[in-house]
Amino acid sequence: MTADLIRVENLEKHFGELKVLKDVSLNVKPKEVVVIFGRSGSGKSTLLRCINFLEEPTGGCIEVDGTRMECGYADRARKANVREIRMKAGMVFQEFNLFPHLTVMENLIEAPVTVKGESKKEATERGKELLDKVGLSEKAEQYPIRLSGGQKQRVAIARALNMRPKIMLFDEPTSALDPELIGEVLTVMKKLAEEGMTMMVVSHEMGFAREVADRMCFFDDGVILEEGPPDTMIKSPRHERTRRFLEAVL
């Protein structure tokens, strides 16, 4: 039986009195694509940010490719384990988060060179391959300000991939894009899924979910209310809340 690439066990995240994640458990297998959807404020993005330790979980346990972290307290190994998890889990954000003062290629090679200690030559060679993969070879020397939103997001995907992650975390990657630019980003994500990249995607793009996801999880008020294959979730959800949400977005 294939070991899970990600294990989330009894995860809690509180902001003061506000409980954003409530005892969330979720496993993701290698090459699996999991789409997480639900209302704004339901905890979806917080889950991804906790997996990458951009948010500090209040309690529970997170394991990424064998690196296990008990949450809610610090120990001596913690800093090294967080660094290891971040190198294994690439993250793509809603707002791109490119460095505006660096060219596209400089954005791609910054982390491999400074974090992993790779040579500039090695990181650049792989960066060229990744820009070709996302259809932006000709933009290597451009600055982000010269790119469209869809191009910026494709650069952000290439930048995350240049760290050679085991899993990609996508936090609403198309929500800041104009409708005509969404397709070019989803095409890149579909290609990654076809190549066997393990992916967790927070998104309301139901067409993408139906076509690409192995599993969908509906978040509601800090818990996974239900999960299942896309066809089942979209056509015959069990919960009334899931049904109402899907009626609003489909």
Side-chain angles (χ1 to χ4, degrees), residues 117-133:
E118 289 185 9
S119 72
K120 193 171 177 181
K121 182 175 183 293
E122 181 185 0
T124 301
E125 284 304 311
R126 202 168 58 251
K128 288 176 183 174
E129 292 171 12
L130 289 166
L131 284 180
D132 186 52
K133 181 195 281 278

Side-chain angles (χ1 to χ4, degrees), residues 98-99 102-113 123-124 126-132 134 154-163:
L98 299 177
F99 298 117
L102 300 181
T103 66
V104 164
M105 183 57 75
E106 287 167 345
N107 265 279
L108 261 65
I109 69 173
E110 176 74 12
V113 171
T124 301
R126 202 168 58 251
K128 288 176 183 174
E129 292 171 12
L130 289 166
L131 284 180
D132 186 52
V134 301
R154 285 185 281 155
V155 170
I157 293 170
R159 180 177 64 174
L161 290 171
N162 212 13
M163 289 292 282

Side-chain angles (χ1 to χ4, degrees), residues 15 18-22 36-47 94 171-172 175-176 202-204 206 217-223 241 244-246 248-249:
F15 293 99
L18 180 64
K19 295 183 177 181
V20 179
L21 297 177
K22 307 170 185 175
I36 299 163
F37 67 110
R39 292 173 181 81
S40 295
S42 60
K44 313 177 301 294
S45 295
T46 302
L47 171 64
Q94 184 175 336
D171 185 10
E172 301 199 47
S175 64
V202 171
S203 180
H204 296 153
M206 292 298 117
C217 301
F218 179 65
F219 249 77
D220 187 70
D221 193 25
V223 301
R241 286 186 184 183
R244 285 205 307 268
F245 180 84
L246 286 167
V249 299

Side-chain angles (χ1 to χ4, degrees), residues 82-96:
V82 167
R83 183 176 182 274
E84 203 171 321
I85 283 175
R86 285 180 178 161
M87 288 206 285
K88 292 174 177 179
M91 186 109 180
V92 176
F93 301 90
Q94 184 175 336
E95 295 291 346
F96 326 128

Side-chain angles (χ1 to χ4, degrees), residues 199-226:
M199 295 159 62
M200 290 181 72
V201 184
V202 171
S203 180
H204 296 153
E205 296 291 338
M206 292 298 117
F208 170 83
R210 187 184 275 122
E211 188 178 342
V212 178
D214 298 293
R215 185 160 40 113
M216 294 177 69
C217 301
F218 179 65
F219 249 77
D220 187 70
D221 193 25
V223 301
I224 298 174
L225 192 62
E226 67 175 303

Side-chain angles (χ1 to χ4, degrees), residues 27-246:
N27 295 349
V28 182
K29 297 194 177 305
K31 300 187 178 182
E32 190 175 18
V33 178
V34 178
V35 170
I36 299 163
F37 67 110
R39 292 173 181 81
S40 295
S42 60
K44 313 177 301 294
S45 295
T46 302
L47 171 64
L48 292 197
R49 293 177 67 83
C50 283
I51 289 172
N52 215 351
F53 286 87
L54 295 170
E55 295 285 358
E56 190 61 41
T58 307
C61 178
I62 292 169
E63 185 175 325
V64 178
D65 191 35
T67 303
R68 187 174 176 86
M69 295 278 288
E70 300 288 341
C71 305
Y73 69 93
D75 60 21
R76 277 187 293 182
R78 182 174 190 76
K79 193 172 180 181
N81 285 344
V82 167
R83 183 176 182 274
E84 203 171 321
I85 283 175
R86 285 180 178 161
M87 288 206 285
K88 292 174 177 179
M91 186 109 180
V92 176
F93 301 90
Q94 184 175 336
E95 295 291 346
F96 326 128
N97 289 8
L98 299 177
F99 298 117
H101 63 291
L102 300 181
T103 66
V104 164
M105 183 57 75
E106 287 167 345
N107 265 279
L108 261 65
I109 69 173
E110 176 74 12
V113 171
T114 59
V115 177
K116 295 179 84 172
E118 289 185 9
S119 72
K120 193 171 177 181
K121 182 175 183 293
E122 181 185 0
T124 301
E125 284 304 311
R126 202 168 58 251
K128 288 176 183 174
E129 292 171 12
L130 289 166
L131 284 180
D132 186 52
K133 181 195 281 278
V134 301
L136 292 172
S137 297
E138 76 287 359
K139 301 293 185 183
E141 300 309 316
Q142 297 277 9
Y143 286 88
I145 197 169
R146 303 295 300 273
L147 305 179
S148 70
Q151 290 170 338
K152 287 176 186 173
Q153 195 60 294
R154 285 185 281 155
V155 170
I157 293 170
R159 180 177 64 174
L161 290 171
N162 212 13
M163 289 292 282
R164 291 188 278 201
K166 294 288 187 76
I167 183 165
M168 288 285 284
L169 308 174
F170 291 90
D171 185 10
E172 301 199 47
T174 60
S175 64
L177 300 179
D178 293 333
E180 68 269 22
L181 300 177
I182 290 172
E184 63 189 50
V185 173
L186 294 180
T187 297
V188 171
M189 293 170 65
K190 286 174 191 172
K191 190 189 298 183
L192 287 178
E194 287 164 6
E195 292 170 356
M197 174 60 76
T198 309
M199 295 159 62
M200 290 181 72
V201 184
V202 171
S203 180
H204 296 153
E205 296 291 338
M206 292 298 117
F208 170 83
R210 187 184 275 122
E211 188 178 342
V212 178
D214 298 293
R215 185 160 40 113
M216 294 177 69
C217 301
F218 179 65
F219 249 77
D220 187 70
D221 193 25
V223 301
I224 298 174
L225 192 62
E226 67 175 303
E227 59 181 293
D231 268 2
T232 305
M233 290 289 287
I234 291 170
K235 291 177 183 173
S236 51
R238 297 192 314 275
H239 285 271
E240 178 62 26
R241 286 186 184 183
T242 317
R243 207 160 26 244
R244 285 205 307 268
F245 180 84
L246 286 167

